[in-house]
Amino acid sequence: MMRITNPKDFWAGTLYVVFGVGAVLIARSYPFGSATRMGPGYFPIILGVILALLGLLSLLRAFRSDGEPVGSMAWKPLLAITGGTALFAFLLPRAGLPLALAVLILMSAAISENFKFGWRPALALMALIAFCVIVFVKLLGVPLPLVGSWFAGLV
């Protein structure tokens, strides 16, 4: 009889397989395209398959190697990151990309016990926001609003 000897790998592999298969199932109705002319389904299907395969490898390893038991759930970081992502999605059309990014980054950083806001983190925050705006909006042409509906009349 096979016995799970590495619970961390088992549960990580299970999550990878579930998310990978979920991505493939969601994207299967999108046109796939080809490697030279990718359709909207190409990227999520390829990544979903890769993630599911990595999950299967992790599941196999869970039965072949020894490992530690799964520790307690880190609820504070989990809720802060999930809440920050949801708040980012809410703020993006209303406040615009720079402000939504600032809120996401600050919420994510605030959960660290080592984080202290000062002039260096403020400069890093502004540089990261500028980098994201330049790369995604200007260079890649991703249609993300720089100014949201809350501030549209002010600009």
Side-chain angles (χ1 to χ4, degrees):
M1 181 167 112
M2 295 181 69
R3 190 171 141 280
I4 298 171
T5 57
N6 192 336
K8 283 186 178 181
D9 279 352
F10 177 79
W11 290 110
T14 301
L15 282 175
Y16 293 164
V17 169
V18 167
F19 284 125
V21 170
V24 170
L25 290 175
I26 290 170
R28 74 175 189 256
S29 63
Y30 302 153
F32 188 75
S34 66
T36 55
R37 285 194 56 86
M38 296 177 195
Y42 188 90
F43 196 64
I45 289 174
I46 295 296
L47 285 182
V49 167
I50 291 170
L51 186 61
L53 289 173
L54 288 173
L56 288 174
L57 286 174
S58 185
L59 281 170
L60 287 174
R61 202 167 89 170
F63 293 99
R64 303 182 124 228
S65 66
D66 292 330
E68 300 174 19
V70 177
S72 63
M73 183 67 79
W75 288 106
K76 182 181 173 187
L78 176 67
L79 294 174
I81 298 297
T82 306
T85 304
L87 190 56
F88 173 82
F90 174 79
L91 288 174
L92 183 62
R94 293 164 182 84
L97 181 63
L99 189 57
L101 275 173
V103 169
L104 173 65
I105 294 165
L106 288 172
M107 277 188 72
S108 301
I111 61 171
S112 170
E113 295 171 4
N114 302 324
F115 178 72
K116 289 180 180 57
F117 196 74
W119 68 271
R120 280 187 167 153
L123 282 177
L125 174 70
M126 290 186 287
L128 183 58
I129 291 170
F131 175 80
C132 289
V133 167
I134 291 167
V135 169
F136 293 106
V137 177
K138 301 300 182 191
L139 296 177
L140 294 175
V142 179
L144 297 170
L146 295 179
V147 177
S149 60
W150 287 346
F151 306 110
L154 302 175
V155 178

